[in-house]
């Protein structure tokens, strides 16, 4: 049984659950309270890859060593060590658990729901238009509904305690004493909405996987790295091959020593000095380019031309990325600076950020159309089989598993996305806006996943929001005052920070599984269950540390996303009122 063909063994179940708990349960606390290097941070999460190293080198290495010490003839190793397929399943489950705890979802979820009421007293435009109290559904917020007043004892326990934090020094309030019951009704809405979105995203990646991997033969650089932590040659159990390669240790040990010293300095600042105090900062450099060339200050998004930070992870990953991609990324900011400066010098007007956002959204939509057109034959065949317009291949066909998981993904995608649209239409109070918003959200995640799979870039931001684009396309009056605030506000939960979006995590796990001979149809349900469990764990974990520790400690997440979308709503309301269409648009609906 050295190969270990089974997916759900006691080993894969135990270590898969442990990986899910570590990522979804501890990442938010680590990043928000302890600080230091982010535990997740991007689509090549340091915490998850460290866990893979512990499994392959620590756990498997331990039993390989004990097997030799006690001369058991491989029995100890084969009983306790993880096989390659088991490690792949653990890796895939751990990766999808990186989505909910921080920037992917729960860094913003609680804050977007709770903190608008904190800022309301200082936002007269919000109050004058009754944005929160009239146009937002009360069921989306914990009880008591703040629109009925903010003087009750229950409001203080649920909302004010959140604003200020309940911990007293190092003494935290246990989870059982937090006002969890107040969240029951909103979670009846949010739970299905988030799970249906997750189900749609997982299905979409499984749907496109065969087209991207087999037909277009994308390189999946991140999956190559992740798969190397699981690859064990010779159909045996034991330490993965990468840890037997001396080149790995020559590259790993110096970096691990430096980062280990840095981490110790965070825990023991009085005993271990920071690296910057012991040696020059070789990881970061700064040149005052925009100071020497002032016209560059008129160009959006070229601040990074002043300096960069050397990330060892990106340096290593560059070996898996094509030279064309590396060159493009290197010169893109410089090209933008040259073009933006020329535009300003010729026209006297700087390029506005809204123009860049619109052009990015157009690029995402155009790229999606290209992907659909390129794979039109494949997608047509899959959906024909999904809806019984064409028969499956006979049993035993070599591509049977791949085809069947694609068909399954197509069916689940249609049903889950339809359910997501239905719940979203209730929140937006407009089914038309819900449909357009959902499609744009899927386009955003699809293209991000495609870029990660094709280029290997682990850190990526879209810098455009589906709600903003719909307002620009149709105008605020066409969206309507009931759909407008909810549509903009919910972007702060689902699309604010796609640096940790779910779809690339799924893609990495699926590609590694495909290369390792794991049955993808079984893996589909494993990943759905894993991300569902991760959502539950991450919600409780986030609720615990946000109620105990001041949510304002995250200066960005607690301010701009919370206030920015409602400020934008208020500006649109003022524009509609000034033009005389605000009252007329209230009963008109989105298509009038």
């Amino acid at each position: 049984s050295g190969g270990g063909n089974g997916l759900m063994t006691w080993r894969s179940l135990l270590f898969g659950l442990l990986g899910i708990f570590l990522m979804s349960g501890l990442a938010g606390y680590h990043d928000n309270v302890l600080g230091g290097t982010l535990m997740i941070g991007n689509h090549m999460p340091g915490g998850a890859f460290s866990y893979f190293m512990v499994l392959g080198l620590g756990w498997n290495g331990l039993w390989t060593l004990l097997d030799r010490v006690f001369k058991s003839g491989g029995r100890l190793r084969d009983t306790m060590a993880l096989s390659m397929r088991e490690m792949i399943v653990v890796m895939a489950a751990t990766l999808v658990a990186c989505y909910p705890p921080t920037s992917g979802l729960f860094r913003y979820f609680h804050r977007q729901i709770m903190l608008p009421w904190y800022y309301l007293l200082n936002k007269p435009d919000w109050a004058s238009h009754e944005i929160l109290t009239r146009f937002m559904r009360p069921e989306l917020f914990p009880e008591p509904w703040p629109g009925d007043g903010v003087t009750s004892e229950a409001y203080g326990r649920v909302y004010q305690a959140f604003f200020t934090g309940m911990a007293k020094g190092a003494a935290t309030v246990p989870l059982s004493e937090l006002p969890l019951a107040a969240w029951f009704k909103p979670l009846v809405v949010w739970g299905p909405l988030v799970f249906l979105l997750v189900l749609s995203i997982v299905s979409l990646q499984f749907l496109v996987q065969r087209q991207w991997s087999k037909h277009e033969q994308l390189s999946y650089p991140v999956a190559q790295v992740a798969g190397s932590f699981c690859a064990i040659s010779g159909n045996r159990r034991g330490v993965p091959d990468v840890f037997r390669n001396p080149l790995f240790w020559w590259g790993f040990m110096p970096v691990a020593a430096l980062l280990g010293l840095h981490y110790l300095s965070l825990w023991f600042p009085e005993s271990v000095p920071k690296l910057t105090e012991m040696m020059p900062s070789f990881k970061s450099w700064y040149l005052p380019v925009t100071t020497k060339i002032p016209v560059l200050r008129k160009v959006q998004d070229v601040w990074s031309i002043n300096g960069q930070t050397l990330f060892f992870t990106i340096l290593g990953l560059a070996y898996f990325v094509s030279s064309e991609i590396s060159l493009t990324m290197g010169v893109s900011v410089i090209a933008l600076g040259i073009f933006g400066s020329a535009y300003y010098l010729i026209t006297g007007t700087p390029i506005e950020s809204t123009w860049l956002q619109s052009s990015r959204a157009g690029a995402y939509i155009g790229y999606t159309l290209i992907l659909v057109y390129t794979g039109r034959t494949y997608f047509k065949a899959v959906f024909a089989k999904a809806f019984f317009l064409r028969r499956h291949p006979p049993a035993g066909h070599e591509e049977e598993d791949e085809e069947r998981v694609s068909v399954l993904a197509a069916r689940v995608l249609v049903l889950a996305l339809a359910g997501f649209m239905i719940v979203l239409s209730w929140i937006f109070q407009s089914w038309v806006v819900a449909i357009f918003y959902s499609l744009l959200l899927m386009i955003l995640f699809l293209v991000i996943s495609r870029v990660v799979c094709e280029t290997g870039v682990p850190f990526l931001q879209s810098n455009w929001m589906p709600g903003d684009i719909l307002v620009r396309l149709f105008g605020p009056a066409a969206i309507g005052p009931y759909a407008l605030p909810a549509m903009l506000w919910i972007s702060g939960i689902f699309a604010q920070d796609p640096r940790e979006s779910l779809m690339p995590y799924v893609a990495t796990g699926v590609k590694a599984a495909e290369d390792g001979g794991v049955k993808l149809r079984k893996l589909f349900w494993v990943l759905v269950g894993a991300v569902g469990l991760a959502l539950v764990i991450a919600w409780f974990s986030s609720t615990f540390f946000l109620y105990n520790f001041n949510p304002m400690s995250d200066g960005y997440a607690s301010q701009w996303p919370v206030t920015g979308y409602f400020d934008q709503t208020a500006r649109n309301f003022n524009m509609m009122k000034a033009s005389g269409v605000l009252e007329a648009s209230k009963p008109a609906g989105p298509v009038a």
Side-chain angles (χ1 to χ4, degrees):
S1 61
N5 294 325
L7 264 67
M8 297 309 297
T9 64
W10 70 266
R11 292 173 294 268
S12 62
L13 182 61
L14 172 64
F15 289 107
L17 291 174
L18 180 60
I20 292 170
F21 174 78
L22 289 174
M23 296 303 111
S24 61
L26 300 182
Y29 179 80
H30 176 277
D31 294 353
N32 286 274
V33 180
L34 297 181
T37 302
L38 296 178
M39 190 169 173
I40 297 176
N42 54 64
H43 290 114
M44 194 174 174
F49 277 76
S50 298
Y51 178 60
F52 305 152
M53 288 188 63
V54 170
L55 289 183
L57 186 61
W59 179 263
N60 278 15
L62 170 65
W63 294 107
T64 301
L65 177 62
L66 291 177
D67 185 74
R68 292 177 180 176
V69 170
F70 292 105
K71 299 179 181 180
S72 67
R75 289 190 297 273
L76 269 176
R77 183 191 62 200
D78 290 346
T79 301
M80 303 300 294
L82 291 156
S83 70
M84 183 178 73
R85 289 189 175 91
E86 288 171 335
M87 290 191 67
I88 289 173
V89 173
V90 172
M91 180 200 70
T94 303
L95 284 176
V96 297
C98 294
Y99 156 67
T102 52
S103 294
L105 183 62
F106 285 123
R107 180 186 178 190
Y108 301 98
F109 179 81
H110 294 77
R111 292 179 172 97
Q112 287 291 104
I113 292 174
M114 303 292 283
L115 292 182
W117 306 101
Y118 174 83
Y119 291 107
L120 180 60
L121 293 177
N122 297 319
K123 295 289 183 177
D125 280 355
W126 299 9
S128 64
H129 292 296
E130 300 178 299
I131 293 175
L132 285 171
T133 56
R134 179 178 179 184
F135 295 107
M136 299 290 291
R137 287 198 180 272
E139 295 87 351
L140 298 174
F141 302 91
E143 295 180 308
W145 163 239
D148 294 334
V150 296
T151 58
S152 67
E153 180 182 349
Y155 176 84
R157 186 175 66 256
V158 176
Y159 285 89
Q160 288 180 340
F162 182 88
F163 302 154
T164 60
M166 300 174 69
K168 297 179 180 178
T172 59
V173 177
L175 193 64
S176 59
E177 297 180 17
L178 298 180
L180 300 182
W183 285 83
F184 177 77
K185 286 188 177 180
L187 288 180
V188 170
V189 179
W190 286 110
L193 182 71
V194 172
F195 185 73
L196 287 168
L197 175 61
V198 162
L199 202 54
S200 301
I201 293 171
V202 173
S203 302
L204 182 58
Q205 183 59 54
F206 272 87
L207 173 63
V208 302
Q209 182 65 29
R210 190 181 179 199
Q211 170 65 22
W212 292 1
S213 176
K214 300 291 186 178
H215 299 167
E216 300 181 37
Q217 296 186 353
L218 301 188
S219 59
Y220 289 81
V222 177
Q224 290 184 52
V225 177
S228 68
F229 285 85
C230 305
I232 307 173
S233 60
N235 196 34
R236 58 174 173 77
R237 298 176 188 268
V239 177
D241 298 341
V242 67
F243 301 120
R244 300 175 182 272
N245 190 334
L247 287 176
F248 171 82
W249 294 107
W250 279 108
F252 173 78
M253 291 306 297
V255 175
L258 289 172
L259 296 181
L261 287 173
H262 174 68
Y263 201 69
L264 287 174
S265 69
L266 295 175
W267 280 91
F268 309 104
E270 297 180 358
S271 303
V272 182
K274 295 181 179 179
L275 288 179
T276 54
E277 298 174 357
M278 293 189 291
M279 63 182 69
S281 179
F282 63 92
K283 281 196 63 178
S284 301
W285 57 266
Y286 178 83
L287 295 174
V289 178
T290 56
T291 301
K292 298 298 184 181
I293 311 176
V295 70
L296 288 173
R297 299 177 185 176
K298 302 295 183 180
V299 184
Q300 294 283 341
D301 298 336
V302 296
W303 54 268
S304 61
I305 206 170
N306 286 321
Q308 288 292 338
T309 299
L310 174 64
F311 290 99
F312 297 112
T313 304
I314 305 301
L315 185 64
L317 187 62
Y319 287 95
F320 296 87
V321 178
S322 67
S323 300
E324 293 83 357
I325 296 297
S326 298
L327 177 64
T328 301
M329 294 190 63
V331 303
S332 60
V333 176
I334 298 174
L336 177 61
I338 295 173
F339 176 80
S341 300
Y343 183 89
Y344 175 76
L345 293 173
I346 294 172
T347 65
T349 304
I351 297 176
E352 296 184 10
S353 61
T354 54
W355 301 353
L356 293 176
Q357 292 172 17
S358 298
S359 65
R360 291 188 189 105
Y364 272 61
I365 295 170
Y367 195 24
T368 299
L369 294 176
I370 293 173
L371 294 178
V372 172
Y373 180 79
T374 303
R376 63 191 183 281
T377 302
Y378 164 75
F379 294 125
K380 187 186 300 183
V382 169
F383 279 99
K385 293 172 186 174
F387 296 100
F388 309 105
L389 301 177
R390 187 182 298 180
R391 298 181 62 183
H392 283 292
H397 193 279
E398 61 179 1
E399 298 182 344
E400 179 185 9
D401 180 63
E402 294 179 359
E403 289 198 13
R404 289 187 180 275
V405 75
S406 300
V407 170
L408 171 66
R411 291 171 179 166
V412 175
L413 172 63
V414 171
L415 294 175
L417 189 57
F420 178 75
M421 291 177 178
I422 291 172
V423 180
L424 203 61
S425 66
W426 179 83
I427 295 174
F428 290 174
Q429 305 177 63
S430 168
W431 60 269
V432 175
V433 176
I435 290 174
F436 279 101
Y437 184 92
S438 302
L439 293 176
L440 285 178
L441 199 61
M442 291 295 107
I443 287 172
L444 187 151
F445 293 135
L446 174 69
V447 174
I448 286 179
S449 182
R450 172 69 181 213
V451 172
V452 173
C453 294
E454 188 167 2
T455 69
V457 178
F459 179 88
L460 189 65
Q461 294 283 24
S462 60
N463 287 326
W464 65 275
M465 295 292 169
D468 292 342
I469 299 305
L470 289 179
V471 172
R472 294 189 188 119
L473 284 175
F474 301 114
I479 301 297
Y482 286 94
L484 182 63
M487 180 190 70
L488 294 174
W489 165 74
I490 211 169
S491 294
I493 296 175
F494 291 142
Q496 182 62 40
D497 207 354
R499 61 188 290 173
E500 295 169 13
S501 52
L502 174 61
M503 199 164 169
Y505 291 134
V506 177
T508 298
V510 174
K511 176 59 178 175
E514 182 181 83
D515 293 342
V518 174
K519 295 293 185 181
L520 296 187
R521 195 175 187 190
K522 294 181 180 179
L523 186 67
F524 177 88
W525 296 114
V526 170
L527 295 189
V528 169
V531 73
L533 178 60
L535 286 169
V536 175
I537 295 174
W539 184 85
F540 279 105
S541 174
S542 298
T543 303
F544 171 78
F545 78 74
L546 284 172
Y547 263 105
N548 273 285
F549 304 99
N550 190 342
M552 302 298 180
S553 59
D554 189 330
Y556 174 77
S558 62
Q559 294 181 37
W560 193 93
V562 177
T563 61
Y565 296 110
F566 287 122
D567 286 342
Q568 184 179 352
T569 299
R571 289 193 297 269
N572 283 310
F573 275 34
N574 289 333
M575 291 170 54
M576 288 191 288
K577 186 176 181 179
S579 59
V581 299
L582 178 60
E583 292 301 321
S585 66
K586 290 178 181 178
V591 294

